Amino acid sequence: MNKINYQKELEKTINGIVKNNEKPKLLLHACCAPCSSYVLEYLSNYFLITVLFYNPNISTKKEYDYRASELERLIKEMPLVNKVDLDIMKYDDGEFYDIAKGYEECKEGGERCFRCYELRLRKAAKYASEKNFDFFTTTLSISPLKNSEKLNSIGEKLSIEYKIPYLFSDFKKKEGYKRSIELSKEYDLYRQNYCGCVYSQRDE
Ligand code: SF4
């Protein structure tokens, strides 16, 4: 079976938006400032974005607050085409430990991660649906360590459940990951050396 090119899917959606001269409201789940940098540079040309920082997977509150503050600084400092809002959710790591229970020994990229993607995307879908956004998506697909097919299939499932379109994406394509590294250097962003949870820290 041919793999779906999710970057091409994104381009099709963007072409439709440009053709119809629209500026849809996008709820963008973000994991950290480095991953958001390229995604914001790219998508803020076409969407009115609210960034949702919801990552109960992050190992400590201190790390959570630092990643959130770097994201806040980036949004203030980047010359973005359209205004970008940010909503930082309260830290509650219990929500992550509930879904990770029984999957503590999985390696990064396994079932625990798929559950972690869904936890975060579900919050984004619910938020976007309740606040009447036009689309929701996540920055997560920019990382070469994240499974884009899984992310997009979870997004599609939740889009049906919450009745809100998921913006398909594979941000690592078209040199997106490389550009995120350049922007991280340019804005001197904190780039963590582990994904987020205590298990990814353990396996570093
Ligand atoms: S390694 Fe990353 S994606 Fe996987 S469970 Fe931990 S924080 Fe979530």
Side-chain angles (χ1 to χ4, degrees), residues 57-58 96 108-109 112-114 116-117 120 146 195-200:
N57 50 310
I58 294 175
F96 171 70
E108 187 169 346
R112 186 188 65 242
C113 298
F114 302 156
C116 181
Y117 301 166
R120 292 182 279 169
K146 299 286 182 299
C195 182
C197 66
V198 286
Y199 314 114
S200 58

Side-chain angles (χ1 to χ4, degrees), residues 160-177:
I160 295 164
E161 207 176 308
Y162 289 91
K163 300 185 177 50
I164 174 155
Y166 183 71
L167 190 68
F168 291 114
S169 56
D170 194 353
F171 294 118
K172 70 180 81 53
K173 294 272 167 73
K174 293 188 86 176
E175 311 265 19
Y177 180 65

Side-chain angles (χ1 to χ4, degrees), residues 3-64:
K3 281 192 174 178
I4 298 172
N5 183 329
Y6 289 104
Q7 170 62 27
K8 285 256 168 358
E9 295 299 309
L10 173 60
E11 286 169 17
K12 271 189 228 160
T13 304
I14 288 176
N15 288 343
I17 288 168
V18 171
K19 197 168 152 218
N20 296 327
N21 205 15
E22 293 167 340
K23 193 111 339 153
K25 280 171 64 186
L26 170 69
L27 195 273
L28 174 66
H29 164 265
C31 54
C32 62
C35 290
S36 304
S37 59
Y38 162 75
V39 178
L40 287 172
E41 181 182 69
Y42 180 25
L43 295 186
S44 76
N45 292 305
Y46 310 105
F47 295 90
L48 298 174
I49 300 176
T50 295
V51 175
L52 183 71
F53 188 81
Y54 170 72
N55 300 292
N57 50 310
I58 294 175
S59 54
T60 63
K61 174 136 190 341
K62 190 174 169 213
E63 177 77 15
Y64 188 85

